[in-house]
Amino acid sequence: MSSSLKDVAARAGVSARTVSNVVSGSARVAEDTRRRVQEAIDELGYRPNLAARSLRAGRTGIIGLAIPELHSPYFAELAGLVVEEARKRSWTVIIDQTLGDAEAERRLLTGSGGRVMDGLIISPWALTAQELASTARSLPIVLLGERSPQGLADHVAVDNIRAADEATTHLLMLGRRRVAAIGLQPHLHNGTSALRAEGYRRALRRAGVSARPEWEAAVDTLHRKDGALALADLLDRDGEVPDAVFAFSDELALGVVHMAHQRGVRVPEDLAVVGFDDIEDGQYGHPTLSTVSPDKRQIAQLALQCLADRIYSPDNEVPPSDLTAPHRLVIRASTTLRPRPPGH
């Protein structure tokens, strides 16, 4: 005889509603309670009919994830974590690529392509904050990145100003005073590069180092080629050259390191390099890459919890969340000289 939801509730010593919340992920449940419920589910072999439940509630069990670039290592790693965490809620994830196109982002936000999803997680690049805030929609959404929806939708991001400040401060503490920034993107509305530039400049000011606009390199994309070309341009100018680079993505940083090797510039002896994103490639380059590491799993978990709150909350009773995921600075060989043997 199969076990019921009430059997699980009795075994775990909780209400049937709590069991339902654990199974569906529809509300926040204390970790200890969630563990007891899961143990009871495992012991009794309870298997909820999630498909029938979704149909009764008018839901599909499908959510969308819209990212700018599928080939970006950062977004690829984040997408994998979203899929992994969504599977724990018995959700299926449909992934779409927008390429930062405003019309593609608008179509997804308005649901004009047909309502097949219960909700959408999107990292917008093209639409302005005003457009995001005013876009009429019935689809629950969670925004990733810097396009704040002005309190009208859920939002998950990292503290880019603080993270960039920490990365630049690390370079300054190494004694570097000619610190360049590579990755400004004034042509985009997403604001990420502007915030990272602000953190970079803040660290310089605090250290008493004058900002040099000519050492703030704009790029078309955050790819390796753009980083390589930007460093080549900085090295080819008359006068002083940078002794450190804060790159706004790890891909840019890897391009910087590649060009440095081509030009006979030693990393980190002549040029210390810090990236941003902590993609897997950075751990296996030569040298390994110092980087700002956003907690990508936490970003995925926070976004999915926000989406669950929105999907399962009737009449939008849950107020929009504006959440900040943690980050840390990871120090590797691209900024750290090899230690000398004792006595030298």
Side-chain angles (χ1 to χ4, degrees):
M1 182 176 178
S2 60
S3 299
S4 67
L5 184 145
K6 290 183 178 179
D7 295 330
V8 174
R11 175 67 64 90
V14 299
S15 67
R17 165 66 84 180
T18 298
V19 175
S20 178
N21 288 340
V22 170
V23 170
S24 66
S26 61
R28 291 183 172 89
V29 178
E31 189 56 38
D32 181 63
T33 302
R34 184 182 297 278
R35 185 174 61 254
R36 293 206 321 272
V37 171
Q38 189 59 55
E39 289 174 353
I41 289 173
D42 295 340
E43 291 170 3
L44 296 174
Y46 173 63
R47 293 295 178 267
N49 189 337
L50 294 174
R53 177 180 299 176
S54 294
L55 289 173
R56 288 196 301 271
R59 304 186 190 104
T60 64
I62 298 172
I63 65 167
L65 172 65
I67 55 179
E69 298 175 332
L70 287 172
H71 61 274
S72 161
Y74 171 79
F75 285 115
E77 291 175 18
L78 179 61
L81 290 168
V82 169
V83 170
E84 183 180 328
E85 293 295 326
R87 188 175 293 123
K88 298 176 183 178
R89 299 174 181 271
S90 298
W91 286 352
T92 298
V93 181
I94 296 176
I95 301 175
D96 202 346
Q97 175 178 253
T98 66
L99 296 176
D101 177 71
E103 189 53 43
E105 293 177 358
R106 192 174 293 111
R107 173 179 55 81
L108 288 165
L109 285 167
T110 59
S112 60
R115 176 67 181 272
V116 298
M117 301 180 295
D118 295 332
L120 174 69
I121 299 171
I122 180 170
S123 179
W125 272 7
L127 296 183
T128 65
Q130 290 73 22
E131 288 178 289
L132 292 169
S134 62
T135 301
R137 64 186 184 278
S138 59
L139 185 69
I141 68 166
V142 177
L143 302 182
L144 301 180
E146 283 53 63
R147 304 316 308 138
S148 174
Q150 301 179 341
L152 298 179
D154 296 299
H155 178 226
V156 179
V158 297
D159 188 340
N160 277 289
I161 295 177
R162 180 182 172 189
D165 186 329
E166 292 171 359
T168 307
T169 297
H170 169 61
L171 294 170
L172 292 165
M173 291 181 66
L174 296 174
R176 311 298 171 117
R177 288 298 180 267
R178 305 190 304 277
V179 183
I182 294 178
L184 281 79
Q185 293 186 291
H187 61 287
L188 291 183
H189 288 296
N190 68 353
T192 300
S193 70
L195 293 176
R196 292 179 187 176
E198 182 178 344
Y200 157 78
R201 295 172 191 142
R202 187 171 74 177
L204 293 181
R205 287 195 302 270
R206 192 173 55 250
V209 176
S210 298
R212 299 176 62 163
E214 69 272 21
W215 284 355
E216 296 182 6
V219 295
D220 291 329
T221 71
L222 301 179
H223 301 159
R224 293 169 175 82
K225 178 181 72 173
D226 299 86
L229 292 175
L231 180 66
D233 179 64
L234 291 171
L235 294 176
D236 288 340
R237 296 178 185 179
D238 294 332
E240 289 186 312
V241 296
D243 60 6
V245 167
F246 168 44
F248 290 7
S249 79
D250 280 357
E251 285 194 84
L252 287 173
L254 291 170
V256 167
V257 171
H258 173 77
M259 180 56 66
H261 286 330
Q262 284 198 333
R263 294 295 189 90
V265 177
R266 299 171 301 167
V267 178
E269 290 86 351
D270 304 322
L271 186 75
V273 181
V274 176
F276 202 116
D277 290 337
D278 196 17
I279 63 175
E280 187 177 18
D281 286 356
Q283 301 176 38
Y284 296 97
H286 181 71
T288 56
L289 188 63
S290 294
T291 183
V292 174
S293 177
D295 191 333
K296 292 186 278 287
R297 183 173 296 277
Q298 184 78 345
I299 292 172
Q301 291 173 341
L302 289 172
L304 287 165
Q305 185 59 61
C306 286
L307 201 60
D309 290 343
R310 191 67 48 207
I311 291 171
Y312 293 107
S313 174
D315 303 320
N316 291 321
E317 291 177 356
V318 178
S321 299
D322 195 353
L323 304 175
T324 302
H327 68 269
R328 62 191 179 95
L329 184 63
V330 179
I331 307 303
R332 299 195 181 105
S334 67
T335 60
T336 305
L337 298 175
R338 294 176 182 174
R340 296 182 177 182
H344 286 68

